[in-house]
Amino acid sequence: MHMEKQPGRQVLPRESVLAHAVRLALRALSVSAALGMLGGGALAQEQAAPGEAAMPVPKLQRVEITGSAIKRLESETALPVQIITRAEIEKAGVTTAAELMARVSANVGGLTDGASINVGGDQRGFNSANLRGVGTSSTLVLLNGRRMANFASPGDDAGVDLNNIPAAALQRVEVLLDGASALYGTDAIGGVINFITRKDYQGVELNAYASGTDEGGAGKRTASITAGTGDLATDGYNIFAVVDLQQTDRLRSSQRKFIPNLQIPQRLGHLLSSFTSPANIRLSSAQRTHLQDNGFLLNGQPITNRQINFAIPDCAPPANLYLPKGTGGVDGCTYDYMGDTELYPKTDKQNLLTRGVLKLNNDHQLYAEVALSRSRSYYVGSSARVIGYLDYSKVPQLANAGFDTAVDEDGEPVGRELELRMRLNEAGMRTSQLTSESQRYVVGATGTVGGWDYDVGFNHSVNIVKDRDTHGYVLYDQLLAGIADGRINPFGASGAEGKALLDSIQVNDEVRHARGSMDALDFKASRALMAMGGGDMALAVGGEVRRERTQFRPSALLMSNNINNDDAPEGGKVTSDSRNVQAVYGELLLPFSKQWQAQLSGRYDHYEQVGGALSPKIGLTYMPSKQVLMRASAGKGFRAPSMSDLHRPTVYSSTATLPDPVYCAAENNDYSVCADNWDTRRYSNDKLKPERSRQFSAGLVLEPSEHWTFSFDYWNIKRTDLISEIGDDIILANLSKYGDLVHRDEDGLIDYIELRKENRGAQKAAGIDITADLHGVKTAWGRFGGHLSGTYVLDSKIQTSPGDVFISNLNKFVTDGVVQRWRHTITLDWDNGPYSASLSNTYSSGYDDQNSAINIDDGSVVKSNRVKAYTLWDMSGAYAVSKQFKLRAGIQNMFNTSPPYSNQAYFFLSGYDPSYSDPRGRRFYASANYTFK
């Protein structure tokens, strides 16, 4: 009978050790063969008990491992592959692919639910992986060795949404920590993550999981059912299906004690909002001067700022505060949106995976696979901010100011219209629903012909993203009219007529609809060619043709530019783009001797409109003794620009608070005058060329005893012709070089900054992956094991343009993120009969903060900060009630560790960095698994 293979941890290609481990794994089917949470350590080994008969050694099965198209003993690889088994996923208590990838030390700066929280931003709901920190677009995510359609919503990142991975169906995950463009294609520069599902399941399995947090919010409930029938060997077929349902509750900042403990108003008042309720009045310079000349007093004092609020010093706490050093200034109020915003969205996810295999004869099989998923995220932000206008005569405190007759020093009228910066609490919180739907259909055949192992398949994959404004967004023209005629009160509660108006102009519209699809036909074949000193020379060849399509449809209402806080893209229209891609590749395995082995591979990709390139790679392994394995690889690659890079609609956005050197030169570098959140326009570029890359690695694997395995792998990546925008902070700091990207109005003030995708400069990254495994230690108190997987980064930096100096983000937050020097996961395991337990630790080192945020009221720069290291401890225990029934319970973040304080100004959430830290705090979970065979 064909059984699905449980991958082991053996790294050394030593058949005697591997055979012994397989024998022991078969003898103890109830025990996972792998002990580490992450990495490539060895299979558990133990001596046969005295008097116990040894089981016969089964024939070793050859399987295909990520990083090679040739089937071989899975230990025989020149490339470092981390394998995460199903048992390890269960021990960690994670239920999604995104949670799982957060524990991979090489995954840096991927998109998460927390980091994607914003108001009106693109690519919300996108969860991604980012190996080596070289970009989501350079990490290839596969499902059962084949591609999936990328997240359809246009944006800076191109990649598979991890929400679309059917986590309950996973058998294992293989993480190839080496650039693999030579085998898998152009977006594998950082590495490959291959999610591998069950393929030949019989019986019924029920799983239920529930978790809750210590302080409330972010609770989770999941349920899955797996059912399969048919023995491929005896019945000639197998068909199975997995249904996975998940729900997560939202988490608001008001539910977490660490938010007030961060002291954001005191430390980061300049990152808060000047849109308040009651509204701030933003005077023109002439209006302020007129009031000052006429002895106007506010709170008993002459005004100094253009922004005033008659509610000071009380304002309207707790949301609206009097913070003289905040964005409202000494004469206005400041809104603390971090007092009650969302830290983690409410989500519901449904996944279905079904697979069928039909055995035609002993040499050929047909298979089909269907994967359907839907992930909905409900984003709730602060209430709408509004720039409104009101005649001064309707404000009692200014009714006698005489703005209608006053003139400035040039004799121009001061003007009677007041600009308001108001918070529209009466319209409710801004709420959006983001839906990501995925469909993937694969049909194919596999088998053996004339000594060739072959696999050919057709893959149709679709991702659809729907972004709907559901509440809190209102029609701007009618809102302005309601403010101007007094129905809506900017300074207090509106009357019944005003509230009725707000109810009538609420927007409930699918403002953005994106669809991406991929149709691919691929084949691969491999066979042994001839005997060599260390085994058979083997050859693999393959190819692929695929068509990629993207469609983006903004709604007519969005394009009318009449939704408050949701701007229309410049020149926005329905877009539809497509391209054809062809590729061929080959791989040759050369076992020169029992000590030396080489792996040669190359791939040629051609992208319509962009062009093509050859990506070669060579890998070597040397085994001077049974305890030592040395490996090395080198290769080249290229990454074609994504469809979004080429054809994304223009996006309006704004910078963090930055100084304009030209304006500052005329204002004595007074940041309170010459720093602002400048408008930006982000453009795609259909003239982009591919990025080029070269990477190499060298490693050492040691097995000094039957209980210990160590590995050390150095990796180095360099990309040139980097597809990127120049950071807005870098543009303003280098106007002599990039001044043409800053567009100014007739008065010389910044109108907008042009951020355009170009082939610019280079990127370098290098580091060392370290693993250590302790396995198979049997004592009177049970069996023990442990695993360490860590990444020490030696270099991470970007060059903006050829000839420019490289800017390092290693242990330093630059523009949009940081690459920490050291990250690790440690797992300790114990089992004794029906009982088992696991303790794990994840760690990220501290780093220098962004340290650039500016207070535009007094011109001060945020106090420098170093972000502290972040470490979390998890624990779980399990009890096998019977062979069919298993219970597990655990604690995640046992010590209720809060995200460390950060003054970063890039993400919507302030006070900490949401890209790698978890605001949920201590969580308790329990799960039950019941199997019918």
Side-chain angles (χ1 to χ4, degrees):
M1 183 181 77
H2 174 73
M3 298 291 291
E4 181 171 359
K5 183 141 173 29
Q6 282 279 1
R9 295 269 179 205
Q10 175 64 36
V11 178
L12 301 184
R14 189 170 39 157
E15 185 163 322
S16 60
V17 173
L18 187 60
H20 183 57
V22 171
R23 173 173 61 82
L24 294 167
L26 290 172
R27 189 182 62 194
L29 290 174
S30 62
V31 180
S32 167
L35 293 174
M37 174 59 206
L38 303 167
L43 280 168
Q45 304 173 52
E46 58 181 275
Q47 298 296 324
E52 181 180 298
M55 293 185 65
V57 179
K59 181 181 178 181
L60 289 175
Q61 182 179 359
R62 292 183 177 268
V63 296
E64 184 178 324
I65 291 295
T66 303
S68 174
I70 296 173
K71 291 185 177 181
R72 65 182 80 177
L73 300 182
E74 58 190 56
S75 59
E76 299 175 9
T77 172
L79 306 178
V81 179
Q82 290 185 351
I83 300 176
I84 308 169
T85 67
R86 183 176 182 84
E88 294 165 340
I89 296 172
E90 292 174 353
K91 289 176 184 178
V94 298
T95 64
T96 69
E99 290 177 330
L100 182 62
M101 293 314 301
R103 294 169 174 264
V104 175
S105 60
N107 183 46
V108 182
L111 299 176
T112 66
D113 280 331
S116 69
I117 286 181
N118 53 51
V119 180
D122 59 7
Q123 296 193 306
R124 285 182 296 178
F126 185 16
N127 280 212
S128 75
N130 183 358
L131 293 178
R132 307 303 189 197
V134 297
T136 288
S137 303
S138 295
T139 298
L140 179 59
V141 173
L142 304 174
L143 181 62
N144 290 330
R146 285 188 167 93
R147 291 173 177 265
M148 301 176 68
N150 285 342
F151 188 73
S153 184
D156 289 328
D157 296 290
V160 171
D161 184 8
L162 296 181
N163 289 312
N164 299 146
I165 301 294
L170 294 179
Q171 185 66 29
R172 68 183 187 273
V173 183
E174 295 178 354
V175 184
L176 174 62
L177 296 174
D178 190 276
S181 297
L183 280 179
Y184 295 104
T186 66
D187 39 6
I189 291 173
V192 180
I193 303 168
N194 191 7
F195 292 93
I196 300 172
T197 65
R198 296 176 171 183
K199 291 185 173 64
D200 186 11
Y201 182 80
Q202 300 170 55
V204 177
E205 181 178 299
L206 304 177
N207 282 279
Y209 171 101
S211 71
T213 61
D214 211 16
E215 298 180 67
K220 181 190 291 187
R221 297 155 300 282
T222 79
S224 67
I225 179 171
T226 304
T229 184
D231 185 304
L232 200 59
T234 59
D235 301 325
Y237 75 93
N238 175 263
I239 184 169
F240 82 96
V242 182
V243 176
D244 181 26
L245 307 174
Q246 301 197 23
Q247 271 192 339
T248 302
D249 301 328
R250 66 171 46 95
L251 173 63
R252 299 197 65 81
S253 59
S254 56
Q255 296 175 285
R256 285 297 173 266
K257 296 176 183 177
F258 83 86
I259 294 295
N261 290 341
L262 291 174
Q263 299 182 319
I264 294 170
Q266 294 78 17
R267 288 166 146 177
L268 298 172
H270 43 298
L271 292 182
L272 301 180
S273 176
S274 61
F275 291 81
T276 59
S277 177
N280 283 327
I281 297 173
R282 181 72 173 173
L283 301 169
S284 68
S285 296
Q287 289 171 336
R288 177 186 61 178
T289 300
H290 176 75
L291 291 177
Q292 289 172 330
D293 291 345
N294 285 274
F296 179 82
L297 300 179
L298 181 62
N299 194 29
Q301 300 292 326
I303 62 172
T304 58
N305 291 347
R306 289 174 53 194
Q307 195 153 260
I308 65 173
N309 196 308
F310 296 107
I312 67 167
D314 297 324
C315 295
N320 300 278
L321 306 173
Y322 181 57
L323 292 175
K325 293 186 177 297
T327 54
V330 69
D331 297 320
C333 298
T334 297
Y335 176 70
D336 178 15
Y337 64 86
M338 284 300 296
D340 190 26
T341 192
E342 203 169 69
L343 305 178
Y344 210 79
K346 173 186 174 183
T347 61
D348 62 72
K349 302 173 183 180
Q350 301 89 35
N351 280 278
L352 165 69
L353 175 79
T354 182
R355 179 180 173 89
V357 183
L358 177 64
K359 183 178 179 181
L360 300 179
N361 53 44
N362 289 334
D363 294 325
H364 305 283
Q365 298 175 5
L366 300 178
Y367 60 87
E369 184 177 297
V370 177
L372 306 175
S373 71
R374 180 176 65 184
S375 174
R376 285 185 292 204
S377 303
Y378 303 85
Y379 291 98
V380 180
S382 53
S383 54
R385 62 185 190 277
V386 181
I387 294 181
Y389 302 93
L390 188 65
D391 190 279
Y392 83 96
S393 64
K394 295 185 177 181
V395 180
Q397 296 91 334
L398 295 176
N400 298 318
F403 284 162
D404 53 337
T405 59
V407 295
D408 62 17
E409 58 186 12
D410 297 323
E412 298 293 329
V414 166
R416 58 186 305 145
E417 189 174 69
L418 299 174
E419 178 184 314
L420 307 175
R421 296 195 172 184
M422 56 186 289
R423 185 69 51 175
L424 202 62
N425 292 341
E426 292 176 326
M429 299 291 197
R430 284 170 289 181
T431 306
S432 300
Q433 177 182 302
L434 197 292
T435 304
S436 174
E437 297 175 344
S438 176
Q439 306 167 34
R440 183 174 183 266
Y441 307 93
V442 177
V443 293
T446 184
T448 303
V449 175
W452 288 88
D453 293 328
Y454 74 89
D455 189 348
V456 58
F458 176 75
N459 177 2
H460 173 68
S461 188
V462 178
N463 180 251
I464 298 172
V465 178
K466 306 171 185 177
D467 190 354
R468 175 178 289 272
D469 292 341
T470 60
H471 194 75
Y473 295 90
V474 297
L475 299 176
Y476 190 51
D477 58 349
Q478 296 187 50
L479 174 64
L480 287 183
I483 295 171
D485 63 24
R487 285 177 291 170
I488 297 174
N489 182 5
F491 308 109
S494 300
E497 191 177 2
K499 293 177 181 178
L501 172 63
L502 290 174
D503 289 341
S504 70
I505 61 176
Q506 288 277 355
V507 171
N508 186 353
D509 183 59
E510 186 181 291
V511 289
R512 297 169 185 85
H513 183 101
R515 185 182 191 275
S517 67
M518 180 197 68
D519 292 285
L521 179 65
D522 67 82
F523 79 94
K524 58 186 173 185
S526 64
R527 68 163 298 163
L529 296 180
M530 57 178 286
M532 297 185 70
D536 289 335
M537 176 194 296
L539 171 69
V541 295
E544 177 186 25
V545 292
R546 70 177 186 268
R547 184 163 181 80
E548 300 174 348
R549 297 181 178 89
T550 60
Q551 295 175 327
F552 177 70
R553 188 177 69 234
S555 72
L557 180 56
L558 178 67
M559 292 315 307
S560 71
N561 205 26
N562 195 33
I563 304 177
N564 184 59
N565 292 166
D566 203 349
D567 296 329
E570 178 188 4
K573 60 182 180 180
V574 175
T575 60
S576 180
D577 301 286
S578 63
R579 67 180 176 190
N580 295 321
V581 182
Q582 299 91 28
V584 292
Y585 63 87
E587 179 187 1
L588 189 63
L589 180 65
L590 300 168
F592 299 114
S593 68
K594 293 186 181 300
Q595 290 78 38
W596 284 97
Q597 179 175 281
Q599 176 187 350
L600 307 177
S601 56
R603 179 183 178 107
Y604 181 81
D605 292 271
H606 184 274
Y607 281 72
E608 184 180 3
Q609 181 184 347
V610 174
L614 176 65
S615 301
K617 192 173 188 69
I618 181 172
L620 296 171
T621 61
Y622 174 57
M623 189 176 170
S625 72
K626 293 181 178 181
Q627 288 77 37
V628 179
L629 172 71
M630 291 181 279
R631 58 190 176 196
S633 69
K636 292 184 177 181
F638 89 117
R639 184 180 80 84
S642 69
M643 299 287 277
S644 186
D645 292 334
L646 295 167
H647 306 297
R648 175 189 184 182
T650 302
V651 176
Y652 280 26
S653 186
S654 61
T655 70
T657 305
L658 297 171
D660 172 14
V662 172
Y663 194 11
C664 288
E667 297 290 342
N668 297 317
N669 286 316
D670 182 355
Y671 284 178
S672 67
V673 177
C674 64
D676 207 345
N677 303 108
W678 308 108
D679 289 339
T680 62
R681 297 183 188 178
R682 312 183 75 174
Y683 298 95
S684 58
N685 182 356
D686 61 5
K687 302 296 191 297
L688 288 171
K689 300 183 298 181
E691 295 178 350
R692 306 286 171 164
S693 70
R694 65 108 184 100
Q695 53 271 332
F696 65 90
S697 65
L700 175 67
V701 185
L702 302 174
E703 193 172 76
S705 73
E706 64 178 356
H707 296 304
W708 283 102
T709 305
F710 302 92
S711 70
F712 309 88
D713 287 283
Y714 171 80
W715 50 271
N716 187 297
I717 301 171
K718 181 179 180 180
R719 294 196 293 168
T720 55
D721 292 326
L722 197 64
I723 298 172
S724 67
E725 301 165 347
I726 302 177
D728 44 38
D729 51 347
I730 295 174
I731 291 173
L732 289 177
N734 297 273
L735 287 179
S736 59
K737 187 167 187 176
Y738 303 120
D740 59 330
L741 299 177
V742 180
H743 298 260
R744 300 180 181 273
D745 60 21
E746 57 190 14
D747 297 322
L749 299 178
I750 294 177
D751 184 17
Y752 67 93
I753 299 173
E754 177 183 331
L755 303 178
R756 186 179 297 275
K757 293 282 187 182
E758 299 281 3
N759 292 101
R760 303 179 184 273
Q763 182 178 24
K764 294 181 179 180
I768 301 173
D769 293 325
I770 301 171
T771 69
D773 273 287
L774 172 66
H775 39 81
V777 179
K778 194 172 183 179
T779 71
W781 301 280
R783 187 166 57 178
F784 292 88
H787 181 75
L788 160 70
S789 175
T791 299
Y792 187 85
V793 183
L794 300 169
D795 197 12
S796 177
K797 56 190 178 185
I798 292 179
Q799 180 190 50
T800 303
S801 291
D804 286 0
V805 297
F806 279 85
I807 299 172
S808 174
N809 67 344
L810 177 57
N811 254 24
K812 182 178 182 181
F813 194 112
V814 176
T815 305
D816 60 355
V818 61
V819 172
Q820 291 98 336
R821 171 78 71 180
W822 171 254
R823 293 163 61 94
H824 76 233
T825 297
I826 299 174
T827 302
L828 301 174
D829 292 320
W830 165 86
D831 66 81
N832 190 7
Y835 301 97
S836 61
S838 179
L839 176 68
S840 68
N841 169 249
T842 58
Y843 176 89
S844 297
S845 60
Y847 57 89
D848 291 334
D849 215 346
Q850 194 168 21
N851 300 333
S852 62
I854 296 170
N855 184 340
I856 59 174
D857 182 61
D858 62 10
S860 62
V861 180
V862 69
K863 182 181 178 181
S864 293
N865 176 59
R866 180 170 175 81
V867 178
K868 295 179 180 178
Y870 185 56
T871 184
L872 300 177
W873 289 89
D874 303 336
M875 181 174 67
S876 73
Y879 172 58
V881 181
S882 66
K883 290 184 178 180
Q884 292 79 31
F885 189 33
K886 187 174 183 179
L887 298 174
R888 180 177 294 278
I891 306 175
Q892 294 172 323
N893 193 355
M894 285 195 300
F895 302 109
N896 202 26
T897 303
S898 300
Y901 168 76
S902 169
N903 60 33
Q904 61 80 19
Y906 179 77
F907 297 102
F908 173 77
L909 296 176
S910 295
Y912 68 100
D913 185 339
S915 67
Y916 72 95
S917 58
D918 193 330
R920 292 177 293 177
R922 186 186 293 120
R923 306 182 296 284
F924 304 91
Y925 71 89
S927 64
N929 174 278
Y930 196 91
T931 303
F932 305 86
K933 287 291 188 180

